[in-house]
Amino acid sequence: MNSRRVTSRDVAERAGVSRTTVSLVLNEVEGVQISEETRQRVIHVAEEMGYVPEAAAQALASGRSRFIGLVLTRRPHQIATDVFLTQILNPLIEMARRHNMRLLVDIVEETHHRETYRALVRGRRIDGIILSGPRLNDRGLRLLEKEDFPTVLMGSLPGTSFFSVDIDNCAASRSAVTHLISLGHIRIGCITNAPVSYTAALDRRRGYRQALENAGLPFEEQLVRHGDFDPQSGYEQMNALLRLESPPSAVFVASDVVAFGAMAAIREHDLTIPDDIAIVGFDDVPFAKFAYPPLTTIHLPAADLARRSSEILFKLIKREQPTDRRVLLDTHLVVRRSCGAE
C-alpha cells in the first residue's frame, strides 16, 4: 500500500492545471481569473485524492494565516468558571469552519495587553480579532485601531472606531432592578459582574442606579460591591452585604456565575431565597434554571453575540464594509423562583 502524502503536484497533474492554479483555487485567493469549470475540477480532484494543503503554504499563497483570534480579557484562573465562554465557543468554531478558517483563543492579562496584541498582529498569527470584554484602561487596543487591524468588540468601548456587537447592559440591568422594586423591595444591593474598568460592569451598575433613582429610592454606596467574574467573588461580596447593620432584602448580581457564589453565602447564613433575600442574576447561563432555587436572570443571547461578531469580522478580513458599526441585540428578563415572583 502506497502511503505517500498527496502533493499539490499530484493534484495539478490529474486536473491538467499548474501547481499555481491548484494553490490559488484551494486557498481561495480572491481577484484571480480562473474559470468556474477549472475551479470545480481542481476541488473535485483534490477531494478525490484526499489532498490537504500544508498550513504554511496555504498562508503564503493567500497572504492569510487562516486563523481568527478570540481574545479574552480575563485572568487564567477565571477561565475555568467562565460559563459565557462555553456558550460562545461552539458558534465561533462553526462560523470559522464555514470560512475555511480556525479559531485561536488567547488571554490578554491587564499587565501584558500591549505585548500580546503586538505579537498577534505583527506576527501575523491571526487574520482578525474578536475581543470579549473590553476594558476602559486597555491601552493596547489603540495599537489595533492604529494598525487598522480587523477587530470586532464583543462588548463596546466608547470613544473608539471599532465595530462592536453588544447588548444594552444599562437598560437590561435597569429592568432587572425595576422588577425587584415592583415586588416591594426598597433596599436592594448590587454585586457587579467584574471590576468597573470593564465597560459591561460599569453599564450594569449604572442601570442599577437608574432604576433606584426612577423609583425615588436612595443610592447607597455601601450596598454596591464589585465581583470578579467567578463564584468566589460573589460569595465574598454577598458576605460583606450580609454583615451590614441593615442588609438588603434583595440583591441584583450582574452575572449568574457570580450569583451562584452569592446564593451559597446566603444559605450559609441560614437564610432562604427568596423569603429572606430575593436575588436576580444576569446572562441566563444554562445552569441558571438548575440553581436552587432556579435563578431569575436577564437572558443574554450569547450564541447570537458570537455569530454576529464573526459575521462582521469576516467582512472586515475581506475588506468589505459592514452595514452597521454597532449592533445591539435584544435581552429579556426570565422570571424564576429566586426573586419570589413565580
Side-chain angles (χ1 to χ4, degrees):
M1 178 179 177
N2 184 5
S3 59
R4 184 178 68 84
R5 188 175 186 273
V6 177
T7 68
S8 61
R9 183 186 299 277
D10 298 324
V11 176
E13 289 178 354
R14 182 174 295 188
V17 297
S18 68
R19 291 179 66 185
T20 299
T21 299
V22 170
S23 178
L24 293 172
V25 170
L26 298 183
N27 290 306
E28 300 178 358
V29 177
E30 299 172 6
V32 294
Q33 299 298 315
I34 298 175
S35 71
E36 186 60 25
E37 187 269 333
T38 299
R39 188 183 302 275
Q40 291 302 320
R41 184 167 74 253
V42 170
I43 292 172
H44 174 74
V45 170
E47 289 177 349
E48 186 179 68
M49 298 182 72
Y51 171 65
V52 179
E54 292 183 14
Q58 195 175 39
L60 183 63
S62 64
R64 297 179 184 170
S65 70
R66 311 304 298 181
F67 278 86
I68 60 171
L70 170 63
V71 176
L72 306 169
T73 54
R74 309 279 195 278
R75 290 189 293 277
H77 77 273
Q78 294 170 329
I79 301 299
T81 57
D82 192 347
V83 183
F84 175 76
L85 174 60
T86 64
Q87 292 180 277
I88 64 174
L89 272 180
N90 276 345
L92 288 176
I93 291 170
E94 288 174 5
M95 292 295 290
R97 284 175 176 168
R98 287 184 197 176
H99 290 80
N100 193 28
M101 299 184 80
R102 292 191 177 184
L103 181 70
L104 180 149
V105 180
D106 209 340
I107 298 171
V108 176
E109 295 190 69
E110 195 162 357
T111 55
H112 300 100
H113 46 234
R114 189 183 298 273
E115 292 79 6
T116 304
Y117 293 136
R118 184 176 289 112
L120 287 170
V121 175
R122 295 183 176 170
R124 301 304 302 176
R125 292 172 58 196
I126 54 177
D127 296 320
I129 285 176
I130 294 175
L131 178 74
S132 174
R135 287 187 300 250
L136 291 167
N137 60 354
D138 190 345
R139 294 186 303 275
L141 281 175
R142 306 302 173 184
L143 171 67
L144 300 181
E145 198 169 21
K146 181 180 178 181
E147 298 267 346
D148 193 27
F149 190 76
T151 303
V152 178
L153 303 183
M154 200 178 288
S156 58
L157 194 61
T160 66
S161 60
F162 292 115
F163 287 83
S164 68
V165 182
D166 201 3
I167 60 170
D168 190 331
N169 284 284
C170 186
S173 299
R174 189 168 61 240
S175 70
V177 179
T178 298
H179 178 70
L180 287 171
I181 294 170
S182 74
L183 297 176
H185 296 283
I186 59 174
R187 189 167 176 77
I188 302 170
C190 172
I191 302 175
T192 66
N193 56 310
V196 291
S197 57
Y198 289 85
T199 56
L202 184 63
D203 286 343
R204 293 178 192 186
R205 188 181 70 173
R206 184 180 293 120
Y208 158 80
R209 183 168 189 162
Q210 287 179 0
L212 297 180
E213 292 173 348
N214 291 345
L217 297 175
F219 173 81
E220 300 181 48
E221 287 286 354
Q222 65 175 344
L223 291 179
V224 179
R225 304 286 168 162
H226 297 111
D228 199 12
F229 294 107
D230 55 25
Q232 182 65 31
S233 66
Y235 176 82
E236 293 170 357
Q237 299 307 325
M238 189 71 234
N239 275 321
L241 289 174
L242 292 174
R243 285 193 295 266
L244 294 174
E245 185 176 340
S246 179
S249 65
V251 180
F252 165 60
V253 187
S255 156
D256 291 349
V257 171
V258 176
F260 296 151
M263 295 171 81
I266 292 170
R267 287 192 291 268
E268 282 193 8
H269 280 75
D270 293 324
L271 300 172
T272 61
I273 305 169
D275 296 337
D276 295 313
I277 298 182
I279 190 164
V280 174
F282 200 115
D283 291 335
D284 195 22
V285 301
F287 300 141
K289 62 183 175 182
F290 300 111
Y292 181 75
L295 183 61
T296 295
T297 184
I298 295 291
H299 177 76
L300 186 156
D304 287 344
L305 199 68
R307 280 190 285 267
R308 293 296 296 275
S309 297
S310 57
E311 286 171 358
I312 293 173
L313 182 63
F314 290 128
K315 286 186 177 182
L316 293 176
I317 290 172
K318 294 178 181 178
R319 297 299 172 185
E320 298 174 1
Q321 185 70 13
T323 305
D324 301 306
R325 187 164 293 275
R326 187 173 185 226
V327 175
L328 283 180
L329 303 181
D330 293 332
T331 61
H332 61 272
L333 183 68
V334 179
V335 179
R336 300 189 180 106
R337 292 208 309 272
S338 71
C339 67
E342 188 177 80

